[in-house]
Amino acid sequence: MQRGKNKDYKIAIIVALIVTTVAITIGYASFSQTLTISGDATVNHSAWIIKFKNLSPASLTGTAEEVAAPEISGDGTTISSYNVKFITPGDSVTYTFDVANEGTFNAKVSSINIPTPVCTGTGDNAANDSANVCNHLVYTLTYSDGTAINLGDKLNKESSASLKLTLTYKDDITASELPNNDVAVSNLSITMNYDQTT
């Protein structure tokens, strides 16, 4: 009799364990949750476009003559091929133009190089003529109001800045310093770099 009770007791415990295990499994299953993250993104069109625009005709002072007018290249990154002739001290030429930021990023001036003109004389007084002419030439690139262009100057997207390029043969030259023969002036290539900024 005792043996039968033990057997029934063991069976009851096994059944209880099975029922408890099933109940726990069902309990864990009933506390399940799925989380989902969804969405969309678009990468908008962007562009880095800084170029020259709106080049003015030459503004000549004194007896200066324009031999060839400058041109803006097709991609807008170069102004080239201008050629002027100075005849008397005080002559000058000025061109104004815009630097336009047509891109989607703000920019700043990261470097600017305005070279010193190089003069090359001809004839028997070439060295003196070259020195005298170059000592009286002034070559500048500024904003159109005459203020200096500085490193770090900003050019925000969809905006422009008006610049002025001037080459002047100063009138403070003396009669003895006037050239005996023609003097060619070169090394007038200015470079400006813009970098992205915030």
Side-chain angles (χ1 to χ4, degrees), residues 48 50 99 106-113 143 148-155 161 163 191-197:
W48 178 256
I50 297 178
V99 174
N106 293 332
K108 67 177 179 182
V109 177
S110 59
S111 69
I112 182 168
N113 178 37
Y143 291 110
I149 301 169
N150 296 304
L151 298 182
D153 285 356
K154 285 192 173 183
L155 185 63
L163 306 185
T191 57
M192 294 179 67
N193 288 312
Y194 283 89
D195 287 347
Q196 181 184 345
T197 189

Side-chain angles (χ1 to χ4, degrees), residues 71-157:
E71 297 176 347
I72 296 177
S73 62
D75 63 3
T77 61
T78 304
I79 296 176
S80 63
S81 302
Y82 73 89
N83 189 338
V84 293
K85 180 177 12 176
F86 293 155
I87 300 167
T88 57
D91 287 355
S92 72
V93 61
T94 298
Y95 296 101
T96 60
F97 47 88
D98 293 338
V99 174
N101 183 350
E102 297 182 348
T104 52
F105 305 97
N106 293 332
K108 67 177 179 182
V109 177
S110 59
S111 69
I112 182 168
N113 178 37
I114 303 173
T116 301
V118 171
C119 297
T120 306
T122 57
D124 56 359
N125 199 40
N128 285 335
D129 286 352
S130 299
N132 288 333
V133 168
C134 264
N135 287 339
H136 292 88
L137 284 178
V138 178
Y139 193 42
T140 60
L141 177 67
T142 64
Y143 291 110
S144 59
D145 63 3
T147 57
I149 301 169
N150 296 304
L151 298 182
D153 285 356
K154 285 192 173 183
L155 185 63
N156 292 327
K157 60 185 179 181

